[in-house]
Amino acid sequence: MASMPNIDTLHFSEEPNVDTVPGPKSRSLLDQQVEIDSAAVAYPKRIPIALEEAKGATIRDVDGNTFLDFFAGIGVLNVGHSNPYVLEGTREQLGKITHTIDFPTEARLDLIEKLREIAPGGLAGSSNVVFGGPSGSDAIEGSIKLAKHNTGRHGLLAFEGAYHGATSGALSLTAGKKYKKGYTPLLSDVVHAPYPTVPTEQERDQALKAVRQKFEDPYGGTEDPAGIWVEPIQGEGGVVVPPEGFLKGLRKIADDNDALLIVDEIQTGLGRTGEWFGSDHFDVTPDAITMAKSLGGSGLPIGAMVYHEKFDTWDAGGHIGTFRGNTPAMVGGLRAIEYIEAHDLLAHATDVGEYLRGRFREVSEVTDRIVDVRGRGLFIGVEFVDESGEPDANVVKEIQTECFENGVLVWSAGRYGNVLRIIPPLVLTKKQAEVGSDIVCEGIQSVLKTR
Ligand SMILES: Cc1ncc(COP(=O)(O)O)c(C=O)c1O
């Protein structure tokens, strides 16, 4: 087995090194992309850069500019880009066998064992794992089938502010209207209840009441849902942490109504929030969790669902997909988990996340344009409003550009696009956190000065 290099050794550097961006080579590739790639391409519109290579929490463009990566492929590179311990296993496996459908391999069974071990609450040790298509959306599709198959019902309940993916079933659960426009109707009998956006008991109780009514009110309007789909902390919705007791309340409603509680851990999973799963913060046992994003370790795509063994009622072929046996991604996923364990990265994410939130809170104390700094671990949101207290997406875009020009890549979130989303790799060093947050805080201050 390879050695596991310390997190300090994983990166190009502790600090960014950026000339004028976009540089000439980036410009040329960006122009070519506009000519021949899809009109659906989105990220380079906000961050005009062509990528060359990446290590740890640093990423380099084709002109040799080095950035601190504070969005990690939107929560994919939890153990950093090109983690040598992960890559070694992945490469070795690539040379042996890659595509195995669902025949047993050591890679598959070792990853399943590990996921069963770290699964939240009572899922640990009492669960099965299913792989399907390689994306998060595919894992969500699997969870919809699981809930329908086990309840015989077809209605689904999700939340306002939710993002669960872009395939038809997952898109039905997603709340963002912009993603659905032109593609509805999708699945029928899907309802969205309010997600508690303020951490108060009153907000929590109102939200739970609305969910309960969807099941128990004889004039609730739709068939009883087969399941409740919830992000333990909403990502795309703005890194929204629900009040204590919300997930437990959902657990009780699901139990009272013979529905499944499905917690979408696609963005919050595998250490992102300082626990293995977002569910762990709320002491809840879901019936199933979905995961993808960081599960492949190095960015290779793989989606999975861990579900309680009592729901393992499918016949052979009950949930399938050609790419459900991507062994290099399976080895990578196992090695990423081992790396997180060996380097105590859950505690590290908690510490560094707290430090970063502290830095952003300091800035928020001297402006009324930041109304909230929130999150858990290295899943952080900073919410902005304009002078009249309305959500301000433009200020977030400008801050993003300012950070980019000074060497830090940050992304946005929020129903109105007014939340700065900071989700760096868990291997971000303390020094990188200091340097990066200096740049982000200066970016915020310099943009707000112009307001
Ligand atoms: C919480 C959550 N669920 C589902 C998805 C969909 O995953 P994918 O884009 O891999 O289909 C995402 C993607 O951002 C997500 O954040």
Side-chain angles (χ1 to χ4, degrees), residues 35-50:
E35 289 295 315
I36 60 173
D37 205 337
S38 167
V41 164
Y43 280 85
K45 296 220 163 85
R46 293 275 281 279
I47 299 193
I49 177 182

Side-chain angles (χ1 to χ4, degrees), residues 246-449:
F246 177 62
L247 265 83
K248 277 195 163 167
L250 295 180
R251 174 72 276 169
K252 171 106 181 58
I253 295 169
D255 287 343
D256 291 348
N257 291 281
D258 298 323
L260 273 69
L261 177 64
I262 290 138
V263 180
D264 181 345
E265 297 276 9
I266 289 165
Q267 196 162 158
T268 46
L270 300 165
R272 167 61 45 204
T273 67
E275 297 283 351
W276 281 119
F277 294 99
S279 304
D280 293 321
H281 289 280
F282 304 104
D283 192 21
V284 74
T285 297
D287 292 313
I289 55 171
T290 51
M291 59 187 88
K293 285 199 187 274
S294 68
L295 182 58
S298 65
L300 287 184
I302 177 170
M305 174 171 56
V306 179
Y307 57 100
H308 196 279
E309 59 195 11
K310 71 183 171 205
F311 297 116
D312 197 31
T313 55
W314 277 319
D315 292 329
H319 182 55
I320 47 175
T322 300
F323 291 111
R324 65 190 188 274
N326 180 348
T327 44
M330 288 167 170
V331 171
L334 178 65
R335 284 200 167 213
I337 294 169
E338 288 171 352
Y339 190 88
I340 291 171
E341 281 174 332
H343 295 271
D344 206 7
L345 290 186
L346 301 183
H348 181 72
T350 304
D351 285 354
V352 179
E354 210 38 62
Y355 166 77
L356 288 173
R357 273 186 292 280
R359 295 294 313 273
F360 302 135
R361 282 200 185 106
E362 278 168 25
V363 181
S364 76
E365 276 159 21
V366 292
T367 173
D368 53 7
R369 300 298 178 85
I370 298 179
V371 287
D372 202 11
V373 177
R374 56 186 179 243
R376 291 276 191 282
L378 283 169
F379 197 31
I380 301 170
V382 185
E383 182 175 343
F384 289 84
V385 294
D386 65 15
E387 67 279 8
S388 38
E390 296 301 317
D392 194 344
N394 286 334
V395 83
V396 171
K397 282 187 197 151
E398 285 174 39
I399 292 165
Q400 208 177 3
T401 301
E402 189 75 19
C403 292
F404 165 55
E405 288 171 358
N406 289 291
V408 181
L409 304 185
V410 293
W411 202 246
S412 60
R415 295 182 191 197
Y416 301 93
N418 63 321
V419 177
L420 202 61
R421 180 166 28 169
I422 311 276
I423 44 174
L426 313 183
V427 296
L428 188 78
T429 65
K430 287 254 168 75
K431 173 79 178 162
Q432 288 173 325
E434 275 168 33
V435 175
S437 56
D438 281 348
I439 292 170
V440 178
C441 291
E442 278 160 26
I444 294 173
Q445 279 159 336
S446 93
V447 169
L448 289 182
K449 222 180 275 167

Side-chain angles (χ1 to χ4, degrees), residues 116-248:
R116 279 162 49 90
E117 181 192 318
I118 65 171
L123 277 185
S126 311
S127 47
N128 295 95
V129 179
V130 71
F131 301 101
S135 72
S137 301
D138 294 315
I140 292 287
E141 297 294 336
S143 70
I144 294 172
K145 285 156 71 181
L146 184 86
K148 287 185 173 183
H149 186 69
N150 277 285
T151 61
R153 304 201 295 251
H154 301 93
L156 317 175
L157 188 145
F159 290 91
E160 293 166 10
Y163 187 80
H164 294 290
T167 51
S168 281
L171 189 56
S172 305
L173 294 171
T174 288
K177 293 182 188 174
K178 65 182 174 189
Y179 302 114
K180 300 170 122 163
K181 196 160 174 266
Y183 305 117
T184 51
L186 295 161
L187 296 187
S188 57
D189 278 354
V190 180
V191 290
H192 289 85
Y195 192 89
T197 52
V198 184
T200 63
E201 277 183 27
Q202 193 194 16
E203 179 94 352
R204 176 196 68 199
D205 293 346
Q206 272 174 5
L208 289 173
K209 188 171 171 205
V211 174
R212 193 170 275 283
Q213 275 176 337
K214 288 292 170 204
F215 285 93
E216 297 175 12
D217 180 344
Y219 272 56
T222 46
E223 182 197 27
D224 286 359
I228 299 172
W229 278 258
V230 64
E231 291 161 87
I233 296 174
Q234 282 193 337
E236 169 92 5
V239 193
V240 183
V241 184
E244 202 51 50
F246 177 62
L247 265 83
K248 277 195 163 167

Side-chain angles (χ1 to χ4, degrees), residues 24-46:
K25 287 187 182 161
S26 274
R27 269 192 199 287
S28 161
L29 288 178
L30 288 161
D31 288 347
Q32 198 184 342
Q33 184 178 39
V34 169
E35 289 295 315
I36 60 173
D37 205 337
S38 167
V41 164
Y43 280 85
K45 296 220 163 85
R46 293 275 281 279

